[in-house]
């Protein structure tokens, strides 16, 4: 099968299984996150090489704030370090980084790291990498509904103007095409509050591989599975 045929424009990944990967090796969960960061680095490169134009990765959910303080701190430190270390490589590779999520709960240091990487990579045209950080799809939808209601209240918008396009453009993912393929690693079969609106017609792909073990071959497998799918959108072929 040609690897170039039928490449999804937008791939979204629920990068799951770092904790179990570490546990299997008798390591701390935070070491699993470090290995997960490596897997992300490989995957960005592999996705860009495969011709994917948008890659959204679920890196930290709003619910993840409820994890032990030590783990949350390790994750935040890793995010800061990761974006600082990778900024030059990403820019050189033509990767534009965007963060999708609530921003107000991050420490000043994390907020600055995010602002800086977005600014430094703004001109990237090869691949748009969207980091879902403090992301919750339901909160995103609530915020959009609130925003639309406010515009109606202020007389800016008529109720009749509310349509799917307006809702899509009111979400954090405004301007980004819907994901074609959603991958979840680690053998879990759920969306965990990720892209509930945007993934309505995405193809779903699940693998038992734990995120730190995800590599080019695994991505290729997912892309091949996608290429073999028939997307019908409710129609008859
Ligand atoms: C995914 O791995 C990374 C984050 C949620 C931040 P987990 O930390 O959820 O790993 P498991 O699911 O416990 O193995
Ligand atoms: C989803 O994984 C969030 C991320 C991958 C960042 P979780 O491990 O937090 O999800 P649940 O708890 O298994 O649903
Ligand atoms: Mg998990």
């Amino acid at each position: 099968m040609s690897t170039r045929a039928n490449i999804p424009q937008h791939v979204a990944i629920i990068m799951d299984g770092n904790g179990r990967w570490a546990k299997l090796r008798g390591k701390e969960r935070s070491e699993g996150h470090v290995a997960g960061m490596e897997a992300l680095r490989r995957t960005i490169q592999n996705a860009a090489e495969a011709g994917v134009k948008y890659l959204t990765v679920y890196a930290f959910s709003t619910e993840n704030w409820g994890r032990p303080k030590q783990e949350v701190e390790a994750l935040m430190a890793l995010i800061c370090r990761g974006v600082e270390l990778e900024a030059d490589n990403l820019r050189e590779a033509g990767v534009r980084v965007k963060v999708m999520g609530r921003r107000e709960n991050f420490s000043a240091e994390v907020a600055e790291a995010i602002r800086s990487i977005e600014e430094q990579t703004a001109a990237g045209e090869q691949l748009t990498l969207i980091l879902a950080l403090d992301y919750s799809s339901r909160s995103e939808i609530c915020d959009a509904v609130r925003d639309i209601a406010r515009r109606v209240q202020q007389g800016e918008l008529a109720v009749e103007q509310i349509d799917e396009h307006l809702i899509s453009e009111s979400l954090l993912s405004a301007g980004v095409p819907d994901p074609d393929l959603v991958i979840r690693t680690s053998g879990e079969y759920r969306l965990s509050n990720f892209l509930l609106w945007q993934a309505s017609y995405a193809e779903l792909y699940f693998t038992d591989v734990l995120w730190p073990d995800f590599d080019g071959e695994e991505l290729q497998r997912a892309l091949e599975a996608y290429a073999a799918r028939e997307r019908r959108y409710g129609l008859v072929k």
Side-chain angles (χ1 to χ4, degrees), residues 15-21 29 33 58-61 64 67 71 75 184 186 188 210-211:
M15 309 183 290
D16 199 11
N18 295 352
R20 279 163 283 167
W21 182 92
R29 291 180 59 84
H33 298 313
Y58 206 5
F60 190 83
S61 73
N64 289 151
R67 292 189 178 197
E71 181 172 348
L75 278 164
R184 184 168 190 153
S186 86
E188 306 292 354
L210 301 172
W211 176 249

Side-chain angles (χ1 to χ4, degrees), residues 41-188:
R41 211 151 67 95
R42 293 196 283 277
T43 303
I44 295 166
Q45 196 182 340
N46 292 330
E49 279 168 14
V52 171
K53 298 311 284 181
Y54 296 86
L55 177 67
T56 299
V57 293
Y58 206 5
F60 190 83
S61 73
T62 298
E63 291 80 7
N64 289 151
W65 288 114
R67 292 189 178 197
K69 189 164 173 271
Q70 195 195 0
E71 181 172 348
V72 171
E73 280 172 2
L75 278 164
M76 290 300 140
L78 197 58
I79 292 165
C80 274
R81 197 153 51 93
V83 297
E84 277 161 19
L85 282 176
E86 293 304 319
D88 290 344
N89 288 340
L90 291 168
R91 197 182 48 248
E92 279 158 25
V95 176
R96 174 172 62 143
V97 180
K98 288 169 74 132
V99 169
M100 175 176 75
R102 278 240 156 96
R103 295 178 186 232
E104 54 278 14
N105 296 316
F106 293 122
S107 67
E109 199 194 349
V110 175
E112 172 51 24
I114 288 170
R115 193 203 58 73
S116 167
I117 191 124
E118 286 183 326
E119 186 185 278
Q120 290 183 66
T121 62
E125 288 186 344
Q126 195 62 34
L127 172 79
T128 299
L129 171 68
I130 299 155
L131 299 173
L133 290 177
D134 194 1
Y135 177 79
S136 149
S137 184
R138 285 189 165 189
S139 307
E140 172 191 40
I141 292 169
C142 277
D143 289 346
V145 169
R146 226 176 277 124
D147 181 53
I148 291 169
R150 210 172 285 126
R151 291 172 63 192
V152 170
Q153 199 176 36
Q154 288 168 354
E156 252 177 63
L157 199 68
V159 168
E160 295 69 30
Q161 285 173 287
I162 302 173
D163 59 11
E164 293 188 12
H165 178 74
L166 179 78
I167 294 175
S168 289
E169 288 308 303
S170 304
L171 297 173
L172 293 167
S173 52
V176 174
D178 285 340
D180 301 293
L181 171 65
V182 175
I183 298 173
R184 184 168 190 153
T185 57
S186 86
E188 306 292 354

Side-chain angles (χ1 to χ4, degrees), residues 158-234:
V159 168
E160 295 69 30
Q161 285 173 287
I162 302 173
D163 59 11
E164 293 188 12
H165 178 74
L166 179 78
I167 294 175
S168 289
E169 288 308 303
S170 304
L171 297 173
L172 293 167
S173 52
V176 174
D178 285 340
D180 301 293
L181 171 65
V182 175
I183 298 173
R184 184 168 190 153
T185 57
S186 86
E188 306 292 354
Y189 302 93
R190 55 180 170 269
L191 291 173
S192 301
N193 209 1
F194 186 52
L195 302 178
L196 302 180
W197 171 275
Q198 297 89 336
S200 322
Y201 263 105
E203 294 297 326
L204 307 180
Y205 178 86
F206 299 97
T207 169
D208 286 338
V209 168
L210 301 172
W211 176 249
D213 292 327
F214 196 86
D215 58 10
E217 231 171 83
E218 293 300 331
L219 178 67
Q220 209 46 53
R221 229 169 256 152
L223 294 178
E224 280 170 14
Y226 173 84
R229 303 266 180 102
E230 185 189 27
R231 302 182 78 183
R232 285 189 293 273
Y233 302 97

